Amino acid sequence: MGPDGKGIPLSPWLAPIVWEGTFDPTLIDSIYKQQNLTIATTVFALGKYIRFLKDFLESAEQNYFVGFHVHYYIFTDEPEQVPAVELGEDHHLTVIKVPSSNRWQEISLSRMRRLEELIESQLVNEADYVFSLDVDTKFYGHWGVETLGRLVGALHPWFYSSPREQFTYERRPESQAFIPYSEGDYYFIGAVIGGLVKDVYQLAKTCREQLEIDASKSIEAVWQEESHLNKYFLYNKPSKLLSPEYLWDDKKSKPEEIKIVRFSQILKNYAEIRPNP
Amino acid sequence: MKRRSLIYLHTNQNSCKQIIGKVFIKPEEKYKNFGLHSSPGFLYNQPSVLVGRTDVVSMTPWLAPIIWEGTFDPTLVDSIYKQHNLTIATTVFALGKYTRFLKDFLESAEEHYFVGFRVHYYLFTDQPEAVPEVKMGKNHRLTVRRVPSMDRWQDISMGRMEILEKLIENELASEADYIFCLDVDTKFYGRWGSESLGRLVGVIHPWFFDYPRDQFTYERRPESQAFIPAGEGDYYYTAAAFGGSLADVHHLTKTCREQMNIDAANSIEAIWHEESHLNKYFLYNKPSKLLSPEYLWRDINISVGQVKIIRFSHVAKNNAEVRPN
């Protein structure tokens, strides 16, 4: 680790890596406010995952793109369970009903297709940027326009110090998500994907197509769409990376280089909430 | 100019007190954007997330990269940019005695500047016959344009903005993707490549990178269009090198040209001529990428710890001898 406990601010292809201290929030806000942007945000809350929505939305309203136009799209099989959360000015919410599933892997896999369809049918006409976020999470700190970019990935909190051979990429050549041991920049987490609507569309479409090819061969990548996301980001490099501040894990203790936890996976009992093991 | 030894480039400006309303960055979508594609089987070292240079700051507070040696992988960036079949226009002005710098400038450029990429030099001179024969590498070519002589070096310097504006408007749109505008009394000593490409690129002046903003030699008279008050300013940029996309550099050169004309009508000339106007422009139209002083250094014989490689540098010259005034 660097002597002053800081993260590296640039990828080797010169994409900024966003850490506390690398940006001035007031300056960046003022730059982006002039652009009258809309940031769409997709969240999937199926089955028992709906219990996470209240904390997710309430904490988002405290921390997430405050002062900017945000439109949440909540995908759920139980629209009547969506909690009433008071939204700030310029924040809107739309609920989209989707069928239930009895496999969590299946829910995970279908997100790419739903994201692709939502962009095609709506976002392309109404949003500039889109983020796709996991729902079993909570905001603890500022998440703002410093995260905006053409194509944005977040570093997985458990792997950012690991050598690439230990990344949990899909290692079977039979899968479309295959990455050999000699390759790999970072391990990105599937819980956060962002960017311009058209660039996220390309990502979602490609991942969806590759997921379908795998399905037709009865192969499921080791970490589902996260494996495909990592493959995509290896050969279509993000233009901006978010440090693990932007997706932490409440199970993990905070090391020196993480000065602030902004968004984190909360503690949960998988056996209790997943429809299947 | 005597300089104390430099420690590192740091944003010693702790707050961004500036006329926030005037700051502008073009929305990302409108810029001709393309992906950063790389191919399977292309191997390079794994990047580190925690270990790297700690002696320099490599990002501005608005998250524009500041390019220093060690911040990028040259093979990787080249392979990404090579896929886009780019043309980089490069302008240089050599009037009067300045033609004497051309040979070294061009020969060294051919060794170091965008090697392997398509480059079109536009060389503006009042003496086309004085342009030396320099063998161009693959995909590099040179066009000479005659311009009128001028009596004042300041006028030559400032006049560049209008010529650049017109060049972009009239010619480059159909043939170049990026443009760099470089001083000629310079020489390349190290790689200058695709890591420097960006929508709007400024180069940090080699003499000011550790000064507090109130000592930057901005134009300080409110009567000038180039005026920047004390308490404002990010960096002091050099006018000896700047670049970016055609649209952005066109806007820059046009704005500077207009502002210089207003000043001239008011009988005022900014303290550092077009450099003063450039700095004003970059304060309110933030560059999307900055190049460290490696990309425009003082002199090859001067070394400073943090500048680990001198890529492009002024060459020693006797001002009295080469300037028309």
Side-chain angles (χ1 to χ4, degrees):
Chain A
M1 180 164 79
D4 52 355
K6 276 190 177 155
I8 299 308
L10 291 172
S11 76
W13 61 90
L14 298 170
I17 307 179
V18 186
W19 302 84
E20 178 71 354
T22 57
F23 63 97
D24 179 322
T26 323
L27 173 59
I28 286 212
D29 273 7
S30 80
I31 288 169
Y32 280 94
K33 279 237 166 81
Q34 298 176 48
Q35 296 178 26
N36 199 24
L37 300 166
T38 298
I39 299 129
T41 302
T42 66
V43 171
F44 289 77
L46 276 75
K48 295 207 170 90
Y49 275 68
I50 204 146
R51 73 180 57 178
F52 299 115
L53 263 179
K54 187 168 193 297
D55 276 356
F56 174 91
L57 288 170
E58 282 180 350
S59 64
E61 286 306 294
Q62 296 291 315
N63 295 289
Y64 181 74
F65 289 112
V66 175
F68 288 84
H69 296 289
V70 170
H71 193 152
Y72 301 101
Y73 291 86
I74 313 290
F75 292 85
T76 180
D77 52 353
E78 297 176 60
E80 64 286 356
Q81 300 281 339
V82 173
V85 169
E86 183 169 338
L87 298 181
E89 204 188 319
D90 289 340
H91 281 213
H92 304 281
L93 187 144
T94 296
V95 179
I96 300 177
K97 187 174 159 78
V98 295
S100 303
S101 169
N102 36 24
R103 286 188 72 241
W104 70 264
Q105 295 92 338
E106 174 108 8
I107 295 169
S108 195
L109 294 170
S110 72
R111 299 197 309 178
M112 287 296 182
R113 179 166 54 86
R114 301 227 176 268
L115 180 57
E116 185 191 351
E117 287 165 356
L118 179 71
I119 293 174
E120 259 170 358
S121 62
Q122 286 195 240
L123 300 190
V124 73
N125 295 317
E126 65 150 81
D128 303 283
Y129 292 93
V130 55
F131 273 95
S132 169
L133 303 177
D134 271 12
V135 74
D136 51 350
T137 48
K138 196 170 164 175
F139 289 90
Y140 296 101
H142 171 96
W143 179 309
V145 289
E146 71 283 356
T147 62
L148 295 179
R150 191 182 51 78
L151 186 63
V152 184
L155 300 178
H156 196 298
W158 289 96
F159 291 99
Y160 64 91
S161 302
S162 305
R164 57 166 53 127
E165 300 79 17
Q166 288 176 27
F167 291 162
T168 56
Y169 290 152
E170 173 55 59
R171 300 298 189 183
R172 293 166 293 172
E174 301 76 56
S175 167
Q176 299 300 303
F178 167 66
I179 295 174
Y181 286 99
S182 55
E183 296 184 40
D185 302 312
Y186 306 96
Y187 192 78
F188 295 95
I189 191 160
V192 174
I193 305 166
L196 290 172
V197 165
K198 71 172 171 56
D199 287 76
V200 174
Y201 178 75
Q202 274 312 312
L203 183 162
K205 180 175 194 301
T206 305
C207 288
R208 191 264 305 157
E209 287 168 346
Q210 303 203 318
L211 284 159
E212 285 174 354
I213 295 171
D214 269 11
S216 73
K217 296 179 181 170
S218 302
I219 186 168
E220 189 176 277
V222 62
W223 286 102
Q224 294 79 43
E225 87 272 26
E226 183 173 274
S227 305
H228 291 271
L229 178 74
N230 272 278
K231 174 112 182 197
Y232 188 84
F233 275 156
L234 178 54
Y235 302 121
N236 304 272
K237 302 215 185 283
S239 65
K240 184 176 274 183
L241 278 62
L242 304 182
S243 69
E245 296 168 3
Y246 288 85
L247 197 295
W248 195 240
D249 188 335
D250 280 0
K251 292 198 289 295
K252 213 175 183 269
S253 62
K254 203 156 75 85
E256 197 186 335
E257 60 269 13
I258 305 295
K259 312 264 182 251
I260 163 175
V261 171
R262 303 169 189 275
F263 184 55
S264 182
Q265 293 181 318
I266 60 174
L267 299 170
K268 57 194 181 276
N269 178 340
Y270 284 116
E272 209 202 21
I273 49 171
R274 284 179 169 166
N276 62 302
Chain B
M1 191 198 310
K2 201 158 155 48
R3 293 282 301 107
R4 68 181 193 277
S5 69
L6 300 152
I7 309 301
Y8 52 85
L9 170 65
H10 63 281
T11 49
N12 47 17
Q13 278 69 252
N14 289 321
S15 65
C16 289
K17 301 192 207 90
Q18 49 198 316
I19 303 171
I20 293 284
K22 287 163 84 175
V23 172
F24 177 75
I25 284 187
K26 203 181 284 188
E28 238 156 322
E29 181 132 42
K30 297 205 168 83
Y31 166 53
K32 183 171 92 174
N33 245 320
F34 50 74
L36 305 166
H37 303 300
S38 115
S39 306
F42 183 70
L43 303 181
Y44 47 91
N45 289 338
Q46 179 183 356
S48 170
V49 172
L50 296 176
V51 177
R53 282 184 75 166
T54 52
D55 57 337
V56 292
V57 171
S58 45
M59 202 139 72
T60 71
W62 61 91
L63 296 174
I66 306 178
I67 314 298
W68 295 86
E69 178 72 353
T71 57
F72 64 98
D73 180 320
T75 328
L76 176 59
V77 295
D78 275 357
S79 84
I80 287 171
Y81 281 95
K82 276 213 172 107
Q83 298 181 43
H84 294 288
N85 202 22
L86 302 167
T87 300
I88 297 120
T90 303
T91 64
V92 66
F93 289 74
L95 279 73
K97 296 199 174 102
Y98 279 67
T99 51
R100 73 181 56 177
F101 299 110
L102 273 172
K103 188 169 192 299
D104 275 356
F105 174 89
L106 289 170
E107 281 180 352
S108 64
E110 285 306 293
E111 239 191 285
H112 298 288
Y113 180 75
F114 284 107
V115 175
F117 285 80
R118 196 173 310 113
V119 171
H120 192 160
Y121 300 99
Y122 287 86
L123 202 159
F124 296 90
T125 180
D126 53 355
Q127 304 150 80
E129 63 287 357
V131 174
E133 283 281 337
V134 170
K135 186 163 157 47
M136 294 274 123
K138 187 166 171 219
N139 283 330
H140 281 214
R141 63 191 178 107
L142 185 142
T143 296
V144 179
R145 289 285 160 82
R146 181 190 279 276
V147 292
S149 303
M150 284 199 232
D151 300 328
R152 288 182 74 238
W153 69 264
Q154 298 90 335
D155 289 336
I156 295 171
S157 200
M158 293 192 293
R160 298 188 305 175
M161 286 296 182
E162 180 161 12
I163 294 174
L164 292 171
E165 182 194 345
K166 298 285 179 270
L167 178 72
I168 296 171
E169 253 168 51
N170 298 331
E171 291 188 55
L172 295 190
S174 52
E175 70 144 86
D177 305 284
Y178 292 95
I179 177 170
F180 275 98
C181 309
L182 306 176
D183 268 13
V184 74
D185 52 347
T186 51
K187 194 171 166 180
F188 290 89
Y189 298 94
R191 176 196 156 102
W192 179 313
S194 58
E195 71 282 357
S196 65
L197 295 175
R199 193 181 50 74
L200 185 63
V201 184
V203 180
I204 295 169
H205 196 294
W207 287 103
F208 291 97
F209 66 91
D210 73 335
Y211 276 29
R213 59 161 55 124
D214 290 351
Q215 288 177 37
F216 290 164
T217 55
Y218 290 152
E219 173 55 60
R220 299 299 189 183
R221 292 166 294 172
E223 300 76 52
S224 166
Q225 300 300 302
F227 169 63
I228 295 174
E232 292 190 36
D234 303 311
Y235 306 93
Y236 191 79
Y237 300 94
T238 178
F242 58 91
S245 74
L246 295 187
D248 285 74
V249 176
H250 181 260
H251 192 259
L252 181 163
T253 53
K254 180 175 189 317
T255 306
C256 287
R257 190 261 305 159
E258 287 168 345
Q259 300 203 319
M260 284 189 291
N261 286 346
I262 295 171
D263 270 10
N266 293 328
S267 302
I268 185 167
E269 190 173 277
I271 182 173
W272 285 105
H273 323 103
E274 84 279 17
E275 187 172 271
S276 306
H277 292 273
L278 180 77
N279 271 278
K280 174 111 180 196
Y281 187 85
F282 277 155
L283 178 55
Y284 299 121
N285 302 271
K286 309 273 189 226
S288 64
K289 184 175 275 184
L290 273 62
L291 305 183
S292 69
E294 295 169 3
Y295 288 82
L296 194 291
W297 189 235
R298 310 169 185 177
D299 186 308
I300 192 66
N301 299 309
I302 299 175
S303 78
V304 157
Q306 283 60 41
V307 180
K308 299 202 185 301
I309 161 175
I310 295 169
R311 303 171 189 275
F312 184 56
S313 177
H314 286 298
V315 299
K317 70 181 192 282
N318 179 338
N319 284 334
E321 213 214 313
V322 296
R323 286 177 171 170
N325 63 299

